[in-house]
Amino acid sequence: MSTSPGAHHQHQHQPKRAKTGATDKQTAAAIGKAAAPRITAQPPVEGDNRCHFFVANKGRYCPFMTKNNSKYCGEHMVVSDSKSASIPERVPCPYDPSHSVDLHKLKKHMSSLCNARPPDERPAYTLPDCNITLLPPGYAEGSFSKCGQMWSEEGLAKADARLMIKPGEQIYMGGVSRTFGELASLSENPKAKPGNTLDEQTVSRLLKPVLLSYLRSVGAPQLTENNITAEQSLEDLLGLVRPSQEFPMEICTHPSVDERKHRKINPKHALQQSSLIGHLEKHNLLDPKYAFVEFGAGKGELSVYVHAALAKKQAEAEFESSSIFLVDRKNFRQKFNIDEPDRAPSDTTDATSDCDKHQSHARRQFQRIYIDIRDLNLASVEGLRITDSSTGKVTLRPIVAYSKHLCGAATDLTIKCIERYQQAGGHVAGVAIALCCHHVCKYSMFVDHAYLSKATTSHSAADLGQWCDTQRDEFRHLATMSSWAINSPAPPASSAPNSELDKVVAAAHYSGLTHSQRVCAGHAVKRFLDIGRAEYMRYQLRMDTVGLVYYTTRIASPENLALLATKLEA
């Protein structure tokens, strides 16, 4: 959290008392205004050729135009209730069910048009679901029609036809998909998702063990074993939470980012990059003898400055092969420019002139790996393998893993990925990961399900490394509650603390908690998960030093916690 004295008070702020004379109607109106769903478009009227499909997550109707005698555009024609023969049958694309295709055009679409079709040759480092911690029972034998929704929610490979189908393999046969079965069954209007099953009782039941575990783990000076008991009320335990004060604040800097910090009007990203690189320097990890792997690299901006920091340590000529590997599942159009990072971005593989050998050599230090981390077998990446020409023995290069920011489950996948690298004989010298977005954590991917048993009610199966549906449901609730730390909407302004308005707002929320209580609850859930990750790296990966530190101010980023670890070579 920020070192500024007002930062913590901003987190603990209580709404002020409403002005004298405010009526119940005015209070209700204020709450209604804050909580009402936002609908930005009216339904199409008779004769309007706009699509009638309502996009729920955007609060508006689809803006695309329709064909004659149709209520829906081509994409949403799958929900049409018309049986007219003039309307072509549309089915979800087997490669990517997020879009649909005319059935009579499906073969051509899948052979040459679909952007989601599998590559002609799958890289050797692709191993579907290799970094998943816990697979559901019957996963190998299950069918998409039966388990597809759960597979998709958990981000598993069997929900992705691009990975399940070998290049060149026939997957569409006259209305039947090898992966998804009968396509017509997928074209039916999907059932509405159940409402939010979290209620005040469930929130209280799940939060108390999380708070107890979190408070005992952080060992804050004002806390002792005696004043943290299971008999205490949820409100009392929430009152002991001190957001962003339980771990040390260690803001580092590195000169490789100084110029960028001064050029930017809003240097928040540069401040975070500078601190992360500074932590690598502090732990003696900025050494060209290591290969550097950035997970969730995006455009590659952080790695450009890591390369600049390495160049200051050792001459460019001493870099013999690609030393920086950028892992991301997407191919970003605008990559960060290796040569001139403060000018227009470009692809890292652009050719350079003969007179620019320095920049050309710098480009050769980067290798992009386009893959979901869940499927990355890092030990099979060619640039990390060193083969002895005389004996043929393969050794793996020592690596440093880092990222800013690595959302939710991607952090767990990364920890499992580097653990597999260790098991294959590779050395992981250090890790620096800025943590964020715990609301998109996945039960199947969390690194330690036995640790989760501290905060779940049904955990006997999970303790034995087995899938537990009840624990999965509770974990999803915890992930939802973690979002309260940052995204919980503030109540309407009033004029005094402990006002009637604050009580009404708390009662209106399904958790029964006030805004400040929800912020503390969300923070505790986030840190509970992060502590579990740190413990896993300490005891399972056997890292010599593991720590959680606030690496930048909360003003620069509300997600300002980093997971740092180092390991000495044997």
Side-chain angles (χ1 to χ4, degrees):
M1 185 173 179
S2 171
T3 54
S4 62
H8 174 63
H9 297 295
Q10 181 179 359
H11 236 353
Q12 302 295 325
H13 174 70
Q14 295 286 339
K16 298 180 180 180
R17 184 179 300 276
K19 293 182 179 180
T20 304
T23 66
D24 292 341
K25 290 183 178 179
Q26 290 172 326
T27 301
I31 297 172
K33 183 177 181 181
R38 184 170 61 96
I39 298 178
T40 59
Q42 297 299 319
V45 297
E46 187 70 25
D48 190 344
N49 62 343
R50 285 184 300 136
C51 181
H52 285 59
F53 183 83
F54 183 74
V55 186
N57 63 335
K58 295 185 178 180
R60 59 168 173 77
Y61 285 83
C62 172
F64 290 117
M65 310 303 286
T66 66
K67 295 181 179 180
N68 293 335
N69 303 320
S70 175
K71 292 170 59 180
Y72 300 97
C73 66
E75 181 61 33
H76 296 121
M77 208 173 291
V78 290
V79 302
S80 175
D81 52 5
S82 172
K83 304 299 181 182
S84 171
S86 62
I87 299 177
E89 182 181 359
R90 290 183 70 87
V91 295
C93 172
Y95 286 144
D96 182 4
S98 65
H99 68 275
S100 60
V101 192
D102 286 352
L103 185 58
H104 69 279
K105 297 179 180 178
L106 185 57
K107 186 174 183 179
K108 181 179 180 181
H109 173 82
M110 298 181 67
S111 63
S112 60
L113 300 178
C114 182
N115 291 329
R117 64 188 185 276
D120 295 333
E121 183 177 353
R122 189 170 295 157
Y125 48 74
T126 302
L127 186 58
D129 287 332
C130 65
N131 296 318
I132 299 295
T133 303
L134 194 60
L135 289 171
Y139 182 64
E141 301 81 21
S143 64
F144 185 87
S145 59
K146 181 180 179 181
C147 311
Q149 181 177 354
M150 191 271 285
W151 291 348
S152 298
E153 289 173 351
E154 289 292 325
L156 300 174
K158 287 195 74 171
D160 187 347
R162 290 168 290 184
L163 283 172
M164 296 309 299
I165 303 302
K166 297 178 181 178
E169 184 177 354
Q170 184 181 15
I171 73 165
Y172 166 68
M173 299 153 285
V176 178
S177 164
R178 180 189 180 285
T179 307
F180 297 102
E182 290 285 347
L183 295 179
S185 63
L186 297 180
S187 66
E188 299 172 358
N189 193 8
K191 297 179 181 179
K193 291 184 179 180
N196 195 330
T197 56
L198 269 178
D199 53 30
E200 186 172 351
Q201 183 179 3
T202 304
V203 167
S204 178
R205 176 173 59 85
L206 291 179
L207 268 183
K208 286 195 70 173
V210 166
L211 288 165
L212 289 169
S213 176
Y214 157 75
L215 291 171
R216 289 166 179 164
S217 296
V218 297
Q222 74 274 20
L223 304 177
T224 65
E225 189 69 24
N226 295 330
N227 66 359
I228 307 176
T229 65
E231 288 72 29
Q232 287 180 275
S233 67
L234 180 63
E235 290 74 16
D236 289 341
L237 292 174
L238 287 170
L240 295 174
V241 177
R242 298 292 183 267
S244 299
Q245 294 185 0
E246 68 277 66
F247 301 114
M249 171 75 72
E250 297 181 12
I251 301 177
C252 297
T253 61
H254 196 276
S256 63
V257 196
D258 283 350
E259 185 177 358
R260 182 167 178 79
K261 286 192 292 187
H262 296 314
R263 287 188 183 186
K264 287 291 183 180
I265 298 176
N266 183 0
K268 63 178 184 177
H269 294 297
L271 292 171
Q272 296 171 64
Q273 293 159 354
S274 181
S275 184
L276 287 173
I277 297 174
H279 277 288
L280 294 178
E281 176 77 51
K282 179 180 177 180
H283 291 90
N284 300 315
L285 296 173
L286 284 180
D287 192 320
K289 69 180 181 181
Y290 300 128
F292 292 80
V293 184
E294 182 180 2
F295 290 87
K299 298 179 181 180
E301 182 175 339
L302 176 58
S303 287
V304 167
Y305 291 110
V306 168
H307 179 271
L310 290 169
K312 293 178 183 295
K313 303 274 291 185
Q314 196 164 343
E316 292 280 356
E318 298 187 40
F319 287 90
E320 303 210 354
S321 60
S322 294
S323 298
I324 301 180
F325 300 81
L326 293 84
V327 179
D328 204 290
R329 61 182 175 182
K330 294 182 179 179
N331 184 349
F332 284 78
R333 292 182 180 179
Q334 292 185 321
K335 300 175 180 65
F336 204 69
N337 196 317
I338 300 300
D339 304 336
E340 300 173 287
D342 290 304
R343 296 185 62 182
S346 66
D347 197 320
T348 59
T349 58
D350 290 344
T352 55
S353 61
D354 293 337
C355 64
D356 207 1
K357 294 182 180 179
H358 175 81
Q359 286 87 346
S360 178
H361 188 83
R363 282 193 176 114
R364 292 198 296 272
Q365 310 315 311
F366 291 80
Q367 178 179 333
R368 287 190 175 270
I369 301 174
Y370 297 115
I371 192 173
D372 194 309
I373 303 171
R374 74 180 180 195
D375 310 311
L376 173 60
N377 183 17
L378 196 61
S380 295
V381 174
E382 188 61 34
L384 295 175
R385 299 167 62 87
I386 302 174
T387 304
D388 189 308
S389 57
S390 58
T391 64
K393 181 180 179 181
V394 176
T395 58
L396 298 175
R397 300 174 64 184
I399 66 169
V400 173
Y402 59 97
S403 178
K404 178 197 100 53
H405 285 103
L406 202 55
C407 292
T411 295
D412 301 303
L413 293 172
T414 295
I415 294 173
K416 297 299 289 187
C417 183
I418 61 178
E419 182 183 18
R420 284 183 62 87
Y421 192 75
Q422 280 188 345
Q423 293 170 348
H427 173 65
V428 181
V431 178
I433 298 174
L435 306 164
C436 74
C437 301
H438 299 71
H439 63 282
V440 289
C441 287
K442 306 294 184 184
Y443 174 70
S444 62
M445 301 177 188
F446 190 73
V447 290
D448 191 349
H449 293 83
Y451 172 81
L452 291 179
S453 65
K454 296 180 180 180
T456 52
T457 57
S458 298
H459 53 263
S460 57
D463 287 341
L464 299 174
Q466 299 174 6
W467 184 276
C468 179
D469 286 331
T470 302
Q471 191 181 63
R472 174 180 180 259
D473 292 339
E474 294 180 348
F475 182 82
R476 292 173 65 192
H477 289 326
L478 290 176
T480 297
M481 288 188 278
S482 73
S483 66
W484 296 345
I486 294 174
N487 297 326
S488 181
S494 57
S495 58
N498 303 319
S499 66
E500 291 299 320
L501 181 60
D502 189 32
K503 296 177 182 179
V504 174
V505 170
H509 195 269
Y510 62 83
S511 67
L513 302 177
T514 65
H515 172 257
S516 59
Q517 288 174 332
R518 294 199 300 275
V519 169
C520 289
H523 179 85
V525 173
K526 279 178 173 286
R527 300 296 84 94
F528 169 79
L529 298 177
D530 294 333
I531 291 168
R533 291 161 166 170
E535 288 186 3
Y536 187 86
M537 294 190 69
R538 182 178 292 111
Y539 298 115
Q540 297 298 322
L541 275 68
R542 301 187 182 278
M543 305 299 286
D544 294 315
T545 65
V546 180
L548 294 166
V549 302
Y550 290 106
Y551 74 102
T552 190
T553 66
R554 190 172 173 83
I555 296 174
S557 173
E559 298 276 27
N560 60 335
L561 188 74
L563 173 61
L564 305 174
T566 60
K567 186 173 185 178
L568 301 175
E569 292 190 59

